[in-house]
Amino acid sequence: MKLNAMFTLIVMGLLINISGCSVYMAANQPDGKEMSMIIEGQARSVMLGEFGQPISTVKRADGSVEYDIFSFVDGYSGGAKASRALFHGVADLFTCGLWEVVATPVEAVADGSRMSYKILYSEQEEVLTIIPLSKDAQKYERRRTDGLSGISHTTKTSHKKTADSKYRAPK
């Protein structure tokens, strides 16, 4: 009898000890980036502010930046991270920690999208051309451009102007 009780306590202790790993992982996933800022006409300073220092920068002879290569992880919003962590916590309670067998590998894999872009600039260091380099960035750009494909040219232009005015200071 004492052996069964001791075994049960050990198993419960292990389950309690491992539960929470997926909760921690979900809460500490990378933050999401404001991907809509990658638009033609955007100032380089805004790009640096959102995506950090590029992994590579090439300058022109006059000293202005010709292009940057950015590489970053596009993660999740705070609300998405909190709701995932809450779900894992509740599932852990209802399954006495067994949910961790499923949740921990899921959280290990669902750790954001690796985005890499080559951004070419004008002499005034405004975005001229956007070249997605990673598979995730190419998928994102296809979705974004497919979303605009059903919109007329005029609407596309006004969409670009709206995005420009949202993130750029007036000239």
Side-chain angles (χ1 to χ4, degrees):
M1 185 70 172
K2 280 188 170 183
L3 191 58
N4 279 342
M6 197 158 115
F7 178 75
T8 304
L9 285 174
I10 290 172
V11 169
M12 291 297 284
L14 286 173
L15 289 175
I16 289 170
N17 196 22
I18 66 167
S19 71
C21 191
S22 64
V23 175
Y24 176 81
M25 291 171 74
N28 289 297
Q29 291 287 358
D31 291 329
K33 302 289 185 184
E34 185 59 56
M35 298 299 293
S36 64
M37 295 177 95
I38 303 176
I39 55 173
E40 293 174 3
Q42 187 68 271
R44 179 174 184 260
S45 60
V46 173
M47 300 292 289
L48 293 173
E50 181 63 23
F51 305 109
Q53 289 298 312
I55 60 172
S56 177
T57 298
V58 173
K59 294 190 175 195
R60 295 183 183 88
D62 67 359
S64 65
V65 175
E66 183 177 352
Y67 68 86
D68 286 325
I69 296 180
F70 289 96
S71 184
F72 54 89
V73 175
D74 183 27
Y76 304 96
S77 69
K81 292 190 297 185
S83 61
R84 283 169 54 177
L86 179 65
F87 173 78
H88 291 311
V90 170
D92 279 346
L93 287 174
F94 281 111
T95 63
C96 296
L98 291 175
W99 176 247
E100 289 300 322
V101 174
V102 174
T104 299
V106 166
E107 286 301 323
V109 172
D111 60 350
S113 302
R114 172 60 61 189
M115 306 296 246
S116 297
Y117 284 92
K118 181 176 184 178
I119 308 291
L120 287 82
Y121 300 103
S122 67
E123 287 80 16
Q124 294 78 30
E125 294 190 355
E126 292 179 342
V127 175
L128 279 179
T129 307
I130 303 158
I131 303 170
L133 300 175
S134 66
K135 287 181 183 180
D136 288 337
Q138 291 168 358
K139 286 179 193 175
Y140 174 78
E141 289 301 317
R142 274 195 299 273
R143 282 194 314 263
R144 182 166 74 169
T145 55
D146 286 348
L148 292 177
S149 65
I151 301 173
S152 69
H153 173 70
T154 319
T155 310
K156 284 182 189 176
T157 306
S158 64
H159 171 76
K160 182 182 176 310
K161 286 180 182 174
T162 302
D164 280 350
S165 63
K166 182 176 178 182
Y167 297 111
R168 294 179 64 203
K171 293 182 178 183

